[in-house]
Amino acid sequence: MPALPPARRAALRRRLLAWYDAGHRDLPWRVPQRGADPYRVWLAEVMLQQTQVQAVIPYYERFLRRYPTLGALAAAREEDVLALWAGLGYYARGRNLLAAARAAQARHGGLPASLDALRALPGFGPYTAGAVASIAFGIAAPVVDGNVARVLARLFLVEGEPAAGTVRSRLWALAGELVDPARPGDLNQALMELGATVCVKPAPRCGRCPVAARCAARAAGRERAIPPARGRPARRPLELACALVERAGAVLVVPRPAAGLFGGLLGPPSVELAGEDDPATALARTAREAHGLALAVGEEVARVERTLTHRALTLRGYRCTLRAGPPAAARWVARGEEGVALPTAFSALLATLFSTSRRVRCKNPHSRPGRLADKLARQRSSLTRGSSSV
DNA sequence: AACTCGGGGCG
DNA sequence: CGCCCAGAGTT
């Protein structure tokens, strides 16, 4: 049963597209409105998963300079791709991006102009497949991300958590009826733009909304209550003992397993501490068994605490010495070497080693505007100097 | 359906 | 501090 009478659907499309055309944010991946490069659209969509536009922009530009085409990416090494992803989070995105680039090249000679073929590539879920199909290929496929879910839930007064099965399918059905056959990418982006800039979470700016007069939630006075907050599992503590082996101003790191936290990135050899484990004993055992490292574990010399969405992370750094030569998989990260696949938490831990004061950091550094840009600038400059691993 | 997976911005 | 962010994969 169509929830949307044709006349109303046409009016909504017209208003949304006119509003979008009248002025939307000028974002790097929107530069060529016509003949958009599917690879660029895709890269942006993956980076934007659960990540705000402002955080993505510097990463997007840097990644594109290094890998300007799908073919260039497909030929890349995974460690290099993850080094460009370091700090952005959700590192499975980076690994899947590379895997999908290679698969798309092999199967289709590029990104396929088909919703089903896109959906079959790693990292292409319902949203990303719809976004690339509609924006890059002009296929009339809907998208529902957090923004669209909020806009549609308010516009049509859809109660309940958007993640719940019935609500989710209702939102996708509405998006499917609304998507414009002639301009699917622009209609989808108009919905997302509206959610990001006008129909925002805490206090929607209905005075600037092109469809406020037709909004059911606003008519019911419930626009601030819809949708309800997404229920999240409680944040649990996670304590890692980390082996800090220093040599000639560099610290030893090893690759982490693909599954789990910081999967596929580099980090000092580490072990999760549980219960009454003796950190030194557990660390020496894990280093030996997992990495073939013979370590003499000394005293704790650094501690870093960071809050992730689902984890209260504590890194305890123990000064260690090698009792034998390091295995081949080991790498040395020099001071100031930033073009390395290190997650932010490990970078902070290593930074305490390199700092003259050796002061223990007990909380996240206070964020201030420009900090991210500074960080990216440092990474760029170190990249241009080339990798300086020993 | 519920979990897991980062990191930062903002009220 | 809590909640969110152009979600996807696994169990």
Side-chain angles (χ1 to χ4, degrees):
Chain A
M1 52 174 189
L4 226 54
R8 180 155 187 237
R9 182 174 70 178
L12 287 173
R13 284 175 181 163
R14 192 166 53 243
R15 286 179 165 275
L16 288 166
L17 284 171
W19 173 82
Y20 185 71
D21 291 339
H24 53 69
R25 292 172 296 173
D26 183 21
L27 302 175
W29 42 90
R30 285 180 177 163
V31 175
Q33 281 299 301
R34 193 169 299 275
D37 179 358
Y39 166 68
R40 297 185 178 218
V41 173
W42 171 43
L43 176 63
E45 295 302 337
V46 174
M47 287 189 166
L48 286 163
Q49 289 168 12
Q50 296 294 287
T51 309
Q52 295 180 346
V53 165
Q54 183 181 352
V56 163
I57 288 175
Y59 281 85
Y60 175 81
E61 295 181 334
R62 189 167 55 118
F63 196 100
L64 211 48
R65 277 197 297 276
R66 181 75 169 270
Y67 302 116
T69 65
L70 183 73
L73 175 58
R77 293 190 319 159
E78 183 174 286
E79 185 186 323
D80 295 333
V81 172
L82 291 176
L84 287 174
W85 213 274
L88 198 55
Y90 285 168
Y91 299 104
R93 293 184 295 175
R95 294 197 312 274
N96 284 333
L97 185 84
L98 176 58
R102 292 173 174 165
Q105 283 286 62
R107 292 176 202 167
H108 313 288
L111 283 174
S114 146
L115 190 62
D116 290 336
L118 289 170
R119 186 69 178 79
L121 296 168
F124 278 84
Y127 167 78
T128 304
V132 172
S134 61
I135 298 170
F137 294 117
I139 297 171
V143 299
V144 177
D145 70 334
N147 288 315
V148 177
R150 188 170 54 254
V151 169
L152 295 181
R154 285 171 172 167
L155 195 52
F156 297 102
L157 196 58
V158 180
E159 303 273 4
E161 296 189 21
T166 57
V167 178
R168 187 173 63 236
S169 41
R170 171 118 172 88
L171 293 173
W172 275 94
L174 285 167
E177 293 187 44
L178 206 49
V179 66
D180 190 289
R183 300 177 57 189
D186 287 341
L187 191 286
N188 288 341
Q189 290 187 87
L191 286 172
M192 293 191 276
E193 183 88 0
L194 188 65
T197 63
V198 173
C199 195
V200 292
K201 174 63 185 171
R205 302 160 184 157
C206 301
R208 293 172 39 191
C209 178
V211 292
R214 303 148 193 270
C215 179
R218 177 170 165 78
R222 294 187 39 71
E223 69 273 17
R224 300 180 71 126
I226 293 178
R230 188 218 282 206
R232 276 193 175 79
R235 184 153 47 227
R236 294 175 303 161
L238 176 63
E239 195 167 8
L240 296 182
C242 304
L244 298 177
V245 181
E246 234 178 326
R247 190 182 79 181
V251 177
L252 182 145
V253 296
V254 294
R256 297 177 59 82
L261 195 66
F262 308 138
L265 271 71
L266 300 174
S270 64
V271 61
E272 177 177 355
L273 297 177
E276 308 86 49
D277 286 355
D278 173 52
T281 307
L283 191 51
R285 182 177 64 241
T286 295
R288 182 177 66 247
E289 293 175 352
H291 305 292
L293 278 168
L295 287 184
V297 182
E299 64 179 19
E300 180 175 349
V301 294
R303 186 177 294 218
V304 164
E305 297 188 8
R306 301 188 78 84
T307 302
L308 311 180
T309 297
H310 49 291
R311 294 286 185 170
L313 181 64
T314 302
L315 302 180
R316 298 169 62 178
Y318 292 83
R319 182 168 296 287
C320 296
T321 55
L322 283 177
R323 307 171 75 92
R331 255 196 61 141
W332 297 91
V333 177
R335 170 179 191 165
E337 179 183 354
E338 300 273 357
V340 180
L342 277 176
T344 305
F346 287 143
S347 289
L349 182 68
L350 268 53
T352 68
L353 256 194
F354 292 135
S355 74
T356 53
S357 69
R358 297 280 158 81
R359 197 165 57 83
V360 169
R361 302 210 340 231
C362 292
K363 57 202 306 189
N364 293 358
H366 184 264
S367 300
R368 61 177 197 276
R371 188 173 168 276
L372 184 62
D374 293 345
K375 175 172 147 188
L376 269 295
R378 286 197 304 274
Q379 293 185 14
R380 274 195 300 276
S381 64
S382 64
L383 278 175
T384 57
R385 287 201 309 272
S387 171
S388 56
S389 59
V390 175

